[in-house]
């Protein structure tokens, strides 16, 4: 495997290439990174959708989709994601590797051409802005997506908890924007946001797959020649400060099962120790939360913990009967206290390390896994391989874990629960 | 031991299928260059198998809904230890799932493959249920059921199945209900275990980084020869029409969710090529580059969540369209009208050619995933289709002719259908 051949091809634009003949597909992603803000998140969320609706070469969705379909299920996708205090605006194409084309077509080159057409040569109206009809359709798609967040109550609860934990910080803004914010988008504001992203956002381009991607660097560099890259916007995340007093927020809804997210914060920068600690706490089926809250107390079907390294938070979440909520909350806090007091066995520590090693070794087996791994590593300015990271976790001692646990303080609890009177 | 190599020259891949003397079918696909191995140990036993007998039984037995799923939960616990604890010592990720027509236990690992395979084969073959452990699990499963009851996507799907089928057990929730699982005790669990977890009714499927000779050595040591019980299951006779045309439920959600189901004749699930051919028909008629999709998307009738698929398994076969829409009944009518129009005016052959390539491309791409390969090998064995193997779908996609699809369209009864809606 040829890993992470990374180069700056234009000011603030970095190209990374990962070649591995095992993969039968290739994927090229543009990730524009920009600071999250209530003013900009919604319009930025609409931009990639407009870009993947059509472009000058394929001037409507019909023409574009027909071409993609003929390219063996080429997938052109638009997405936005929260990345700590930043918004990641992504446009990506994935195609079958040329080796498997039934008629010997150059699928990758054609795929890259489509992607470049979408990113650099979008369809505009006579005034030079995005077309109004396309903007309106894609605004609606964004609104539907925001409203659909309610459909998965577990994800909804985690998102709400993140907003409460990071209230007042860029990281509290949802990358998908708000319904009101999206409604206010116009073809003009969307086009300005597009130009701003293209000209000033730090940009990470990832090429991954079975292909060697030779010549792709030159093609992409040439595409950026036509762009006036200005001052590159700052990006990077800060830990979320602890609230003076923990807050509890309860939301009522017509639900059968309550959801609870208990959020802790740390000021420790020992992320390796925090990672191992979170694994012991609630990161696997051998963890304390699974063992006790689920298996011993039979309170939940799921109860697990996750570290958000960019914001320095750890969340423990569960779905639980309303009448058992207090019992579950007490036990979630108790299990963390046990780790703080060093009440975990060498076996639990060994299991956590093994589980992390296993997770890390499987990263390389999926194209999406490798791309995401290096994207996050580069963002965190800690570009190590999964193997190197596994070594670091092995070096985490019991003392560092206890210290990491003791660095955590309760910051907020979010509860989604049934309306008064209960539900049947 | 009957050992055969299943090879496909088109994609240059192969695997070994062993009819093991224990009665178990073992499929092994070592994948060069991969770090992880993925193993599935599955029984041809799902939620539809609620009525059964063996050759030693005089009459058929009917068991409460949700018992296959309950059994899956309980099997992880052996007399001296639970399987999760054993896996914790190797770092493997373990899980299990129960579907309508199968149950599978799995692990994914990047180290200690031999030990993990031993754990898997042992715990699945060593049931241990007591009144206390069965009782303890009831609370956990009840929370799982309630969690899904709050998911609009899950509800719209099951409400749809209840509307399509009169008698077919696929209309019953896989996990059962809080009420039905209250009737499950250890004796019933043993009864079902001893009937269905017979190696003649099971498949072991392994893909990725492992040594097939070592895997077979472990199988030889641990797979306990099973007498053929002459198992018979009954899927009740299903009337041809749908039970209800429209069903609705109110739940907190964003845009209303819908599922349109077209009912196909009962025998369809067992006939080869139908799955691929109907998928290609649906994609050609309603896929992302079809006239229907583009008109409906641009007019705002549907959004990008719109999807078409074939839902099939042992004894059931539906063509499904689902997604979000503000006016779901209109989508239902539009789908039926489009089928009528296509019957009259014909399917566009050019679109068919694109979809054929797309389908083929997706299937080839999936061969680079250890999970997809292990699942593909197991599913082929459980399909009940003569001479089926992991490559059958790829061959069906590569060889499909336009006439295969037009003949399916000619026989499509668009009126034998229903819509399920979940809205706020």
């Amino acid at each position: 495997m040829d890993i992470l051949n990374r180069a700056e091809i234009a000011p603030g634009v970095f190209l990374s290439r990962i070649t591995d003949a095992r993969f039968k597909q290739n994927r090229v992603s543009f990730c524009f990174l920009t600071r999250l803000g209530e003013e900009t998140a919604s319009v930025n969320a609409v931009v990639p959708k407009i870009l993947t609706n059509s472009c000058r070469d394929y001037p409507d969705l019909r023409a574009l989709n027909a071409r993609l379909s003929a390219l063996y299920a080429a997938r052109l996708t638009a997405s936005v994601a929260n990345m700590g205090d930043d918004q990641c605006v992504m446009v990506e194409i994935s195609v079958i590797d040329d080796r498997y084309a039934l008629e010997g077509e150059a699928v990758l080159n054609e795929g890259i051409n489509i992607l470049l057409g979408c990113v650099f040569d979008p369809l505009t109206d006579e005034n030079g802005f995005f077309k109004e009809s396309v903007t309106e359709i894609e605004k609606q798609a964004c609104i539907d997506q925001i409203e659909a967040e309610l459909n998965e109550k577990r994800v909804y609860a985690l998102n709400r908890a993140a907003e409460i934990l990071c209230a007042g910080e860029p990281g509290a803004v949802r990358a998908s924007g708000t319904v009101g914010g999206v409604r206010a988008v116009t073809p003009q504001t969307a086009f300005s946001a597009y130009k701003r992203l293209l000209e000033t956002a730090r940009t990470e381009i990832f090429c991954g797959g079975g292909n060697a991607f030779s010549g792709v660097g030159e093609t992409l560099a040439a595409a950026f020649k036509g762009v006036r890259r200005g001052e590159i916007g700052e990006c990077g995340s800060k830990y979320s400060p602890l609230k003076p007093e923990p807050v509890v927020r309860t939301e009522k809804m017509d639900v059968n099962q309550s959801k609870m997210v208990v959020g802790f914060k740390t000021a420790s920068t020992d992320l390796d120790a925090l990672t191992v600690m979170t694994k012991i706490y609630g990161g696997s089926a051998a963890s304390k939360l699974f063992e006790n809250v689920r298996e011993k107390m039979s309170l939940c079907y799921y109860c697990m913990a996750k570290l958000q390294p960019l914001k320095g938070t750890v969340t423990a979440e569960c779905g639980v009967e309303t009448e058992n909520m207090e019992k579950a909350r007490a036990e979630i806090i108790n299990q963390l206290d046990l780790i703080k007091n060093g009440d975990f066995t060498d076996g639990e520590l060994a299991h956590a390390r093994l589980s992390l090693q296993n997770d890390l070794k499987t990263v390389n087996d999926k194209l999406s896994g490798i791309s995401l791994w290096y994207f996050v590593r580069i963002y965190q300015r800690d570009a190590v391989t999964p193997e190197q990271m596994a070594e670091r976790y092995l070096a985490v001692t019991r003392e560092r874990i206890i210290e990491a646990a003791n660095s955590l303080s309760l910051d907020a609890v979010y509860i989604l629960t049934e309306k008064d009177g209960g539900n049947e | 031991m009957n050992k055969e190599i299943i090879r496909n020259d088109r994609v240059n891949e192969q695997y070994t299928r062993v009819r093991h003397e224990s009665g178990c079918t073992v499929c092994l696909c070592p994948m060069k260059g991969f770090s992880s191995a993925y193993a599935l140990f599955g029984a041809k036993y799902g939620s539809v198998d609620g009525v059964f007998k063996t050759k030693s039984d005089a009459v058929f037995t009917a068991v409460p809904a949700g018992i296959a799923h309950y059994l899956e939960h309980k099997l992880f616990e052996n007399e001296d230890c639970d399987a999760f604890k054993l896996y914790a010592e190797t770092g493997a990720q373990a899980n299990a799932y129960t579907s309508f027509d199968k149950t599978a236990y799995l692990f994914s690992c990047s180290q200690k493959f031999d030990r993990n395979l031993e754990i898997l084969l042992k715990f699945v073959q060593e049931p241990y249920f007591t009144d206390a452990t069965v009782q303890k699990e009831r609370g956990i499963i009840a929370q799982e059921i309630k969690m899904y009851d709050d998911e609009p996507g899950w509800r719209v799907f099951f409400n749809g199945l209840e509307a399509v089928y009169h008698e077919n057990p696929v209309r019953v929730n896989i996990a059962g209900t809080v009420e039905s699982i209250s009737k499950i005790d250890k004796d019933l669990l043993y009864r079902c275990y001893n009937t269905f977890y017979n190696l003649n009714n099971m498949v072991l499927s392994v893909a990725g980084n492992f040594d097939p000779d070592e895997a077979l050595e472990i199988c030889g040591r641990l797979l306990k020869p099973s007498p053929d019980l002459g198992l018979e299951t009954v899927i009740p006779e299903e009337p041809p029409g749908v039970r209800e045309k429209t069903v609705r439920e109110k739940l907190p959600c964003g845009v209303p969710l819908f599922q349109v189901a077209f009912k196909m004749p009962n025998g369809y699930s067992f006939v080869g090529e139908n799955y691929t051919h109907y998928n290609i028909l649906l994609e050609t008629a309603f896929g992302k580059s079809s006239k229907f999709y583009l008109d409906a998307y641009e007019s705002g009738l549907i959004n990008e969540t719109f999807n078409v698929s074939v839902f099939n398994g042992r004894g059931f076969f539906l063509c499904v369209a689902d997604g979000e829409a503000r006016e779901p009944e209109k989508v239902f009518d539009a789908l039926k009208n489009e089928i009528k129009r296509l019957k009259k005016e014909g399917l566009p052959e050019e679109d068919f050619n694109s979809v054929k390539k797309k389908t083929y491309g997706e299937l080839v791409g999936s061969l680079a995933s250890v999970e997809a390969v292990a699942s593909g090998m197991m599913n082929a064995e459980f399909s009940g289709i003569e001479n089926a193997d992991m490559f059958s779908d790829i061959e069906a996609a590569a060889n499909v002719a336009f006439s295969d699809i037009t003949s399916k369209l000619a026989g499509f009864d668009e009126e034998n259908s229903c819509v399920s809606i979940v809205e706020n």
Side-chain angles (χ1 to χ4, degrees), chain B residues 271-347:
Chain B
V271 184
E273 293 184 339
N274 264 336
Y275 174 74
T276 308
H277 289 182
Y278 272 100
N279 258 320
I280 291 177
L281 169 61
L282 290 173
E283 272 299 315
T284 309
F286 303 118
K288 297 242 149 121
S289 49
S290 68
K291 180 179 178 330
F292 172 86
Y293 179 88
L294 294 157
D295 288 349
Y297 185 83
E298 284 174 356
S299 70
L301 186 62
I302 57 171
N303 65 22
E304 61 190 352
T305 59
F306 181 80
N307 186 49
V308 280
S309 59
V310 170
F311 168 71
N312 73 327
R314 197 148 33 89
F316 52 92
F317 196 110
L318 298 175
C319 288
V320 171
D322 56 29
E324 300 166 3
R326 286 180 169 72
E327 296 175 291
E329 291 95 337
K330 275 198 180 169
V331 180
F332 186 29
D333 288 339
L335 286 161
K336 288 187 286 187
N337 289 337
E338 181 63 0
I339 294 170
K340 286 190 188 111
R341 185 189 74 79
L342 289 170
K343 279 181 177 172
K344 212 159 82 186
E345 297 175 16
L347 275 172

Side-chain angles (χ1 to χ4, degrees), chain A residues 24 65 256 321 358 365, chain B residues 13 36 110 143 146 150 288:
Chain A
K24 293 171 165 58
N65 281 1
N256 290 289
E321 204 74 18
N358 191 69
D365 281 353
Chain B
E13 300 283 358
S36 58
S110 55
Q143 286 309 312
K146 289 193 166 192
D150 283 334
K288 297 242 149 121

Side-chain angles (χ1 to χ4, degrees), chain B residues 183-214:
Chain B
K183 296 178 193 144
I184 294 171
D185 60 21
K186 77 170 182 350
D187 296 334
L188 273 178
L189 289 174
Y190 274 121
R191 175 81 201 273
C192 291
Y193 178 86
N194 290 326
T195 303
F196 289 98
Y197 284 68
N198 175 294
L199 289 178
N200 293 285
N201 197 43
M202 297 182 75
V203 170
L204 172 69
S205 181
V206 190
N209 177 24
F210 71 102
D211 179 340
D213 292 331
E214 281 174 11

